[in-house]
Amino acid sequence: MTEPDVDEVRFAAAQRVVKVAALRATPVDEDSCGTCRYYLEPGEGLSFCWQEKVQILVGAGWWCHFWEMCDE
């Protein structure tokens, strides 16, 4: 089996997003991506974050410093 091709430019861009957003795989207090207003599919375990500086696929239990409370 051959190794997959890696788009080094896109990988580096994704790494910058993780650093800028301080993205972490665990929630902070009760705040997590799944309860954030930018989480595209609330209730799903994995969804797209549409915050303008993040814009990547994230897990519901993750957290970043762009977290904002959902409008109710």
Side-chain angles (χ1 to χ4, degrees), residues 7-65:
D7 185 335
E8 298 292 335
V9 173
R10 293 186 83 181
F11 179 75
Q15 292 296 93
R16 281 191 298 280
V17 167
V18 169
K19 285 182 182 179
V20 167
L23 189 61
R24 50 189 286 175
T26 57
V28 171
D29 298 321
E30 298 297 315
D31 303 338
S32 66
C33 290
T35 61
C36 181
R37 70 177 306 191
Y38 299 114
Y39 197 71
L40 190 60
E41 298 286 334
E44 294 296 321
L46 196 63
S47 185
F48 187 77
C49 173
W50 55 273
Q51 202 284 338
E52 68 181 74
K53 294 182 181 175
V54 181
Q55 297 187 1
I56 60 172
L57 194 61
V58 296
W62 297 7
W63 176 90
C64 86
H65 77 178

